[in-house]
Amino acid sequence: MTALTISLAACGGGGDDEGSEGNTNGATSGDAGGDGGGDPITLSVATFNEFGYEDLFEEYESLHDNITIEHVKADTADNARDALRNSLGADSGASDIEAVEVDWLVEFMQYPDKFTDLTDPSVEGRWQDWKSDAATTDDGTLLAYGTDNGPEAICYRADLFGEAGLPTDRDEVATLLEGDWQHYFDVGKEFVASSDAAWFDSANATWQGMINQVEVAYQDESGELIATTNPEVKALYDQVLTAAVDDELSAGLGQWSADWNNGFQQSSFATMLCPGWMLGIVEGNAAGIEGWDVANVFPGGAGNWGGSYLTVPAQGDNIEAATALANWLTAPEQQIKAFEAKGTFPSQVDALESEELLSSTNAFFNNAPTGEIFVDRAKAITFQPYKGPDYFSVNTALQDALTRVDVDGTDDATSSWDKFVADVEALG
C-alpha cells in the first residue's frame, strides 16, 4: 500500500460551498442537463473490478454531443483506494467521478469538504435506507450515490451434494441450510464424511459473510478500536477456524489466489458464499464444470458483501456535469442494464421491483432464477454494519490471521490471534 498522504483534519458538516455550486439540483435519470452549457468537455470516471458501465458510457455520450467519457479502471479495488487517497491528499489528480467501495467509504467520509454535496430532490428515496444512510453525514449531506449491493446467497455443487447423499434441488438445499453458522458447519461435517471435497473454499472467504453480520465489529463510532477486545469478533474467529481446521471443512484455498482459481476446476469444495457479483467470477473460474447452482438462503439470515458508490471530488473542473452523469448512472434503469452486463446487483428500490430484474435467470447455475433469489436476499438485509475509518486495515489484518492458520499452516489459532492483536495495536 502506498504511503498515507491524506493529512487533513476531519471536518464536520457538508461539502464546501465552492465545490457545491455546480450541483444539478433537479437533474433526473433522463435529464440532458449538466452538460457544461454545450462546450466540449471530457469527464473522467475512475472505477475498479466490474461496474458494467462500458455500454452506458457510450449511451450517455450519444445523448450529449459535447461530452466524452474517459474510463480510468484500476486493476484492483485496493489500488483504486490508494490512488484516491493520494489525489485527495494532493488536492489534484482525482477523476471527475470516483468510485468508492463500501469497506473504505467511511474512511473518506472523514473528509466531506473534499467531495461535492450530491443532495438532490431527484434522488430522494432512490436507495434502500441503509445504503444511502452510509453515505450521508450527520448533518444530512449526501456524499455518494449508491451503485450496487452484494446480497449473499449460497452457491453449491448439486452433483457433489447428490454423491454425498444430500438434497440437490435448490429449494430443498435452501431448507437444508436454513439456520445459523453452526448449522451450516454441521451440515458441512455431514458432507465431508461422505465426500473427498471440502465444504467451503477458505476461512477468510467465509469470514466475510460472518463479520458483515456484526453491527459494530472493529471500531465504534467514537473512533476507538475494539477489534481485539470485542468478544463477538473473537468468538467468530474461533468458530470459523474450528470449522476450517479442526473439522476439516475448508479447502484451504486463499481467496483470489491462483490455487483458489484452480480449485473450481478441481472440484475442491462444494459450497461458497455468493454475493451477486460473485456469480460471474464462479462462472469464469468453473468454465466447463457442470453442477453449480445457487440456493436462496444464507447462514444467520442475510448479509451484504461489497457494493460501491460514486463520488464527485470537489477538486474537479466539471462538477455540474460530473454530478449529472453520476446521477444518471445510478438511476434504477441504468443499474439494471449494469446488472445485465456484469451481474452487479442494483441497490435502487425501484430496480428491486422491476419485472426485468425479477425474471432474470442464469443458465450456468442450472437456470436458477437469480433475479428473484437476489431480490429476496437483498430485502432480507436490515442493516449495514458500522465500518469505521480503520475497517479496511483491521479486516485485512484479520484476514491475514485466518490465512496463516487455514492456508499457510504457519500458526495455530492462538499464535495467529496474538499477531493480529499486535497488528491492530500498530495502527495506533
Side-chain angles (χ1 to χ4, degrees):
M1 188 174 73
T2 57
L4 174 67
T5 55
I6 297 177
S7 58
L8 301 176
C11 302
D16 67 27
D17 294 335
E18 182 177 357
S20 301
E21 285 179 355
N23 197 322
T24 54
N25 289 326
T28 67
S29 58
D31 198 331
D35 60 4
D39 296 332
I41 58 174
T42 297
L43 296 176
S44 54
V45 182
T47 69
F48 46 86
N49 297 337
E50 298 291 352
F51 278 66
Y53 282 168
E54 283 77 3
D55 290 344
L56 291 173
F57 290 155
E58 292 183 5
E59 181 179 342
Y60 197 78
E61 288 175 332
S62 72
L63 295 171
H64 302 77
D65 292 339
N66 64 318
I67 291 179
T68 299
I69 297 173
E70 178 188 20
H71 191 189
V72 182
K73 189 173 181 179
D75 55 347
T76 67
D78 291 2
N79 287 339
R81 169 180 170 269
D82 290 343
L84 182 56
R85 285 161 59 92
N86 290 337
S87 60
L88 293 182
D91 270 331
S92 176
S95 292
D96 293 299
I97 294 175
E98 289 275 355
V100 175
E101 208 272 338
V102 64
D103 281 359
W104 24 285
L105 174 66
V106 176
E107 178 181 348
F108 291 106
M109 293 281 287
Q110 296 179 102
Y111 313 102
D113 58 323
K114 293 291 185 181
F115 297 95
T116 300
D117 177 5
L118 301 179
T119 306
D120 191 297
S122 70
V123 300
E124 291 180 2
R126 175 177 286 184
W127 299 277
Q128 292 173 289
D129 289 344
W130 63 267
K131 182 73 176 183
S132 53
D133 287 350
T136 304
T137 63
D138 290 342
D139 68 354
T141 301
L142 182 64
L143 296 183
Y145 289 159
T147 59
D148 63 313
N149 282 338
E152 297 180 274
I154 294 292
C155 290
Y156 70 100
R157 284 281 300 272
D159 55 328
L160 298 182
F161 269 48
E163 293 169 6
L166 297 182
T168 60
D169 175 80
R170 68 177 68 93
D171 291 334
E172 294 180 6
V173 171
T175 299
L176 173 72
L177 296 179
E178 187 70 41
D180 58 15
W181 286 100
Q182 191 54 54
H183 178 70
Y184 171 68
F185 296 142
D186 287 342
V187 176
K189 285 188 280 188
E190 181 182 349
F191 172 83
V192 298
S194 302
S195 176
D196 293 332
W199 180 237
F200 55 76
D201 47 348
S202 67
N204 64 6
T206 306
W207 176 259
Q208 289 296 108
M210 301 173 81
I211 198 63
N212 276 315
Q213 292 175 337
V214 179
E215 290 200 49
V216 182
Y218 299 144
Q219 191 169 27
D220 65 24
E221 295 191 19
S222 73
E224 181 181 358
L225 286 171
I226 60 172
T228 60
T229 57
N230 186 341
E232 197 169 4
V233 172
K234 183 60 162 60
L236 292 177
Y237 172 87
D238 290 336
Q239 184 181 25
V240 72
L241 284 181
T242 296
V245 179
D246 297 349
D247 297 332
E248 301 181 335
L249 302 187
S250 172
L253 303 171
Q255 196 168 44
W256 316 122
S257 68
D259 288 341
W260 183 76
N261 293 338
N262 293 333
F264 288 88
Q265 290 293 324
Q266 297 167 355
S267 301
S268 299
F269 50 90
T271 70
M272 62 182 296
L273 311 189
C274 262
W277 51 262
M278 188 67 82
L279 298 181
I281 294 170
V282 174
E283 182 175 354
N285 287 339
I289 302 296
E290 297 182 354
W292 278 101
D293 209 321
V294 55
N296 190 352
V297 67
F298 195 70
N304 183 79
W305 178 3
S308 298
Y309 295 81
L310 298 183
T311 67
V312 177
Q315 65 183 249
D317 294 328
N318 303 296
I319 288 176
E320 181 179 2
T323 301
L325 173 56
N327 186 324
W328 185 83
L329 286 169
T330 58
E333 50 268 51
Q334 275 68 253
Q335 285 298 146
I336 290 174
K337 293 177 181 177
F339 172 71
E340 292 173 335
K342 295 294 181 182
T344 48
F345 189 80
S347 60
Q348 294 71 15
V349 173
D350 286 349
L352 301 183
E353 304 296 332
S354 164
E355 183 58 34
E356 193 173 5
L357 181 67
L358 286 167
S359 62
S360 296
T361 60
N362 191 309
F364 181 81
F365 289 87
N366 192 27
N367 293 313
T370 48
E372 181 180 343
I373 288 172
F374 284 100
V375 165
D376 284 349
R377 304 318 315 156
K379 289 182 176 178
I381 298 170
T382 57
F383 71 93
Q384 174 70 7
Y386 176 73
K387 298 184 175 181
D390 293 313
Y391 182 91
F392 181 86
S393 298
V394 174
N395 196 52
T396 298
L398 200 292
Q399 295 270 9
D400 290 344
L402 296 172
T403 297
R404 286 190 291 267
V405 183
D406 177 45
V407 180
D408 301 334
T410 57
D411 286 77
D412 60 26
T414 299
S415 66
S416 197
W417 176 264
D418 291 343
K419 291 177 181 177
F420 165 68
V421 171
D423 289 342
V424 173
E425 289 176 349
L427 293 175

